[in-house]
Amino acid sequence: MGSRYIQIGSVVKDQFPVWDSDGYSKVSGVTTFDVTIWKDGAEKVISSDITEIGTSGEYRFSFTPDGAGQWMVEVKIPFNKQIWGGE
């Protein structure tokens, strides 16, 4: 997820793959993610959602910021020990 400007109350959406141990094949059916969201450098407790797009091994992340500021997201994927994130 790169930097972008959004309106307060708008849903932020992005997507990311989950890779198998070969680093090439995508994995479907992953349901466990560790999500941390920060606003202006402080951890923020705010609802987020991750759903798989069909059975593609691509996952859609979404959340709705509740105020102006710099938001950062980190999604840890326990299955393969990878991290996806952005601001």
Side-chain angles (χ1 to χ4, degrees):
M1 184 174 354
S3 294
R4 56 186 151 179
Y5 293 95
I6 60 157
Q7 292 183 327
I8 296 171
S10 295
V11 178
V12 174
K13 296 179 185 178
D14 212 330
Q15 80 181 58
F16 61 93
V18 173
W19 299 106
D20 206 343
S21 59
D22 64 8
Y24 180 79
S25 304
K26 294 180 185 176
V27 177
S28 179
V30 177
T31 59
T32 303
F33 301 92
D34 298 325
V35 178
T36 306
I37 299 174
W38 291 272
K39 178 184 175 197
D40 297 327
E43 193 169 337
K44 177 84 172 172
V45 177
I46 191 166
S47 178
S48 64
D49 186 53
I50 297 176
T51 56
E52 186 173 7
I53 302 168
T55 57
S56 64
E58 288 282 332
Y59 295 79
R60 177 163 289 130
F61 170 83
S62 64
F63 81 106
T64 304
D66 61 3
Q70 180 185 22
W71 291 82
M72 305 230 5
V73 175
E74 178 182 78
V75 178
K76 292 181 181 176
I77 307 163
F79 167 78
N80 58 13
K81 306 287 190 247
Q82 292 182 341
I83 300 173
W84 171 85
E87 62 180 281

